[in-house]
Amino acid sequence: MSQLHGEYECKLDSKGRLIIPAALKKQLPKAAKDSFFINRGFEKCCVLYPSNEWEIIATEINKLSDYIKKEREFKRYFLRGASQLEMDTNSRVNLPKSLLEYAGIGNEVMLLAYGNKIEVWGKAAYEKMLSEEPEDFSALAEEVMSKKPSE
């Protein structure tokens, strides 16, 4: 699994293309081969996965049953709008207009890379999300991070 990290402020060009920042590009696994998949995030953002990471996720999604309503609905909503993107020789990817509209992304973009993914946010939405930090972040950290692995 990739261990991407960092926060990057970017701009889309007039054609909706995003230049992958050099510092982030250096972190991408060779197995991704300059290819990504993008889909809708759980919040109003998009999520960009290196193609090798998407293959792992797609394998898990495909294990879900089409005969169980919740699993079928999850697959449908998770995969809605998912698209493959190829990075060009100038390190650009062309983001689908429908996903940009879904996430309310204009020309100012924030990328938040963590784990195996890169969240793509409109700058204003990203700043709003950060301003809504839990009142007691320490308590949230304790609750989330103090869980012991199951034995």
Side-chain angles (χ1 to χ4, degrees):
M1 182 162 100
S2 300
Q3 286 301 317
L4 305 172
H5 62 277
E7 181 180 66
Y8 306 90
E9 189 171 341
C10 305
K11 291 193 184 284
L12 296 183
D13 69 13
S14 61
K15 296 180 180 178
R17 294 178 298 196
L18 169 72
I19 295 176
I20 303 296
L24 182 54
K25 188 177 173 185
K26 288 178 188 175
Q27 298 175 47
L28 296 173
K30 290 188 190 314
K33 299 180 183 145
D34 295 339
S35 178
F36 298 90
F37 279 81
I38 189 168
N39 73 333
R40 296 168 183 247
F42 293 116
E43 288 83 23
K44 284 287 186 175
C45 68
C46 295
V47 183
L48 197 58
Y49 296 91
S51 60
N52 63 308
E53 295 294 341
W54 180 260
E55 293 306 320
I56 295 167
I57 292 165
T59 298
E60 290 300 309
I61 297 286
N62 287 329
K63 290 178 184 175
L64 298 174
S65 174
D66 285 338
Y67 300 104
I68 299 172
K69 186 178 181 190
K70 283 187 178 188
E71 292 183 19
R72 186 173 61 247
E73 286 177 341
F74 176 78
K75 286 169 49 170
R76 193 177 293 141
Y77 286 107
F78 185 80
L79 297 172
R80 194 171 93 190
S83 304
Q84 186 170 10
L85 309 176
E86 299 293 333
M87 191 167 19
D88 68 16
T89 56
N90 294 317
S91 300
R92 297 177 301 197
V93 291
N94 194 6
L95 302 179
K97 187 174 183 171
S98 63
L99 291 179
L100 294 174
E101 289 172 357
Y102 157 78
I105 296 172
N107 69 331
E108 293 186 321
V109 176
M110 292 298 298
L111 303 179
L112 176 61
Y114 64 95
N116 67 342
K117 67 180 122 312
I118 304 161
E119 290 184 344
V120 183
W121 291 83
K123 186 176 180 187
Y126 184 74
E127 289 172 350
K128 182 178 185 297
M129 182 265 303
L130 290 180
S131 72
E132 295 172 353
E133 181 176 315
E135 190 172 305
D136 191 350
F137 184 65
S138 174
L140 176 62
E142 181 179 338
E143 180 182 337
V144 172
M145 298 302 294
S146 66
K147 294 180 182 175
K148 296 181 181 180
S150 58
E151 296 178 16

